[in-house]
Amino acid sequence: MPKQERADAARNRQAVLEAAERLLAERGHVSLDEVAAEAGVGKGTVFRRFGSRAGLIREILEERSRALRENVTSGPPPLGPGAPTRERLMAFLAELTGIGEQNASLLSAHEAACADHKHEDPSYRFWARHIADLITAERPDLDSDFLSHAILATFDADLIRHMRTRGPGAFTHAVQSMVTALLDAPRKQQDPSFN
């Protein structure tokens, strides 16, 4: 009997995530009541599983980023280990911006629901750390922590929608070009007065 309950819980979880994504794509916003009705489950089921609207949206984003995280940590190059640093960074940004371009409504909902604690989100923390590590490996003279957050700040749903008017992949190209310019910037000469 417990095995059946686990199967039901997995089915309900998947139904809730799919319903939430459909509603986000259609309307750009969701409530737990709407998601529960669309998924054919009780609101209590959604609340117990995800805790809040922010928790539900965070879980959808986590689902989207799980495969990317696995490819980064143990997949083949250029996303995974083994490729030159800059190549890995550009491949990662291409994948991440692709997620952003395909899920602007999800990003918008995530921004609204998780604005107060975005930097605590597991996916965000992983992305920021990975970008910072790659920047450090390529340009140890730069403030990689700040730059990783600045790069991720461009993942604004309204900006992504605007860039999509320029054509497919415009956002990806713009982000990669910006990061290339950062990495290619002249190294700052140390001021001798600080010695």
Side-chain angles (χ1 to χ4, degrees):
M1 191 67 172
K3 188 173 183 180
Q4 181 60 42
E5 288 172 354
R6 283 194 298 271
D8 287 349
R11 182 201 64 78
N12 286 344
R13 177 181 176 280
Q14 194 59 39
V16 167
L17 292 175
E18 289 172 4
E21 286 198 80
R22 273 194 307 276
L23 291 172
L24 280 170
E26 291 169 10
R27 305 177 193 170
H29 60 83
V30 293
S31 72
L32 293 184
D33 287 330
E34 292 169 330
V35 171
E38 179 79 10
V41 301
K43 181 180 177 183
T45 299
V46 177
F47 184 78
R48 279 190 303 277
R49 181 70 194 213
F50 302 101
S52 65
R53 181 175 175 272
L56 172 60
I57 292 168
R58 191 178 302 116
E59 183 63 24
I60 296 170
L61 190 59
E62 176 63 19
E63 284 281 308
R64 293 281 187 191
S65 66
R66 189 170 288 127
L68 175 56
R69 188 168 56 244
E70 289 169 3
N71 283 331
V72 163
T73 56
S74 59
L79 277 176
T85 302
R86 186 177 293 222
E87 190 178 332
R88 280 194 83 192
L89 180 56
M90 292 303 145
F92 178 71
L93 291 172
E95 291 294 318
L96 196 57
T97 53
I99 290 172
E101 289 195 41
Q102 294 168 16
N103 298 280
S105 294
L106 175 58
L107 287 180
S108 184
H110 185 263
E111 288 165 10
C114 305
D116 292 338
H117 48 274
K118 175 176 78 172
H119 294 98
E120 297 169 18
D121 180 82
S123 294
Y124 182 93
R125 282 198 323 255
F126 178 85
W127 298 342
R129 183 75 264 141
H130 185 59
I131 292 169
D133 288 347
L134 292 172
I135 290 174
T136 297
E138 184 77 9
R139 285 290 303 268
D141 59 310
L142 297 177
D143 184 344
S144 62
D145 181 60
F146 170 78
L147 289 175
S148 69
H149 293 292
I151 291 163
L152 290 173
T154 66
F155 284 72
D156 172 78
D158 290 334
L159 176 58
I160 292 170
R161 288 187 192 100
H162 169 73
M163 294 300 294
R164 280 198 315 220
T165 65
R166 297 184 179 184
F171 178 65
T172 297
H173 178 72
V175 170
Q176 288 180 318
S177 296
M178 176 184 72
V179 173
T180 298
L182 286 168
L183 296 178
D184 290 343
R187 292 178 190 265
K188 187 176 177 182
Q189 296 296 320
Q190 187 173 6
D191 186 337
S193 66
F194 287 113
N195 289 339

